[in-house]
Amino acid sequence: MRAIRGATTVKENRANEIYSATDELFRQILRENKLTNPEQLVSVIITATPDLNAAFPARAIRECEGFELLPVMGMVETDVPGAPRKCIRLMVHVEIDRQLADVKHVYLNDAAKLRPDLARKRDEA
């Protein structure tokens, strides 16, 4: 089993932006890690910064066809000064037989600042 990290940001605290960004990030994690079978996923932990309260990001995953029964837990991210604002983070637990170095983590938009090493590695692939 492996955990795949990802993060993204939105411009506004609006439900449609939160759902859209979460959906985009989740699907990008699935694509880049070639996860095509919902049965490969174990659970997803989502955090959102305190400035995102217009919607539950978990709803976007629960509404993905095939993933309606996937356990998803949402939490508020620690409010650290200088950290990216309006940020959604995912940790997707999956059953795959892969080395840590072969897992593709996804950082989109301003969240690429969180892990520039992984964002850069992804851009090079």
Side-chain angles (χ1 to χ4, degrees):
M1 184 162 76
R2 295 287 179 214
I4 304 171
R5 290 284 318 268
T8 190
T9 55
V10 297
K11 293 187 187 306
E12 300 291 330
N13 179 30
R14 296 182 189 201
N16 63 331
E17 284 196 45
I18 292 168
Y19 297 144
S20 178
T22 304
D23 181 76
E24 175 189 29
L25 177 60
F26 182 63
R27 291 178 190 276
Q28 190 69 25
I29 288 171
L30 296 177
R31 259 192 309 280
E32 292 200 21
N33 288 282
K34 296 176 179 50
L35 298 166
T36 57
N37 181 353
E39 294 294 327
Q40 291 175 279
L41 279 72
V42 176
S43 64
V44 179
I45 296 173
I46 301 174
T47 66
T49 50
D51 52 1
L52 292 179
N53 61 6
F56 293 108
R59 178 178 168 187
I61 294 173
R62 285 194 301 269
E63 292 183 351
C64 286
E65 187 175 342
F67 297 94
E68 301 90 351
L69 300 177
L70 180 65
V72 180
M73 173 74 69
M75 295 171 249
V76 177
E77 183 65 44
T78 305
D79 192 14
V80 175
R85 310 308 305 155
K86 297 182 178 68
C87 186
I88 300 162
R89 294 172 173 89
L90 302 183
M91 183 176 293
V92 182
H93 301 97
V94 299
E95 290 184 3
I96 53 174
D97 185 21
R98 210 174 284 173
Q99 298 295 312
L100 284 174
D102 296 328
V103 172
K104 297 195 184 337
H105 306 280
V106 178
Y107 291 84
L108 305 175
N109 304 316
D110 286 343
K113 296 174 192 172
L114 292 167
R115 290 297 305 264
D117 55 327
L118 297 177
R120 191 170 36 257
K121 185 176 170 182
R122 192 176 138 263
D123 290 340
E124 294 168 0

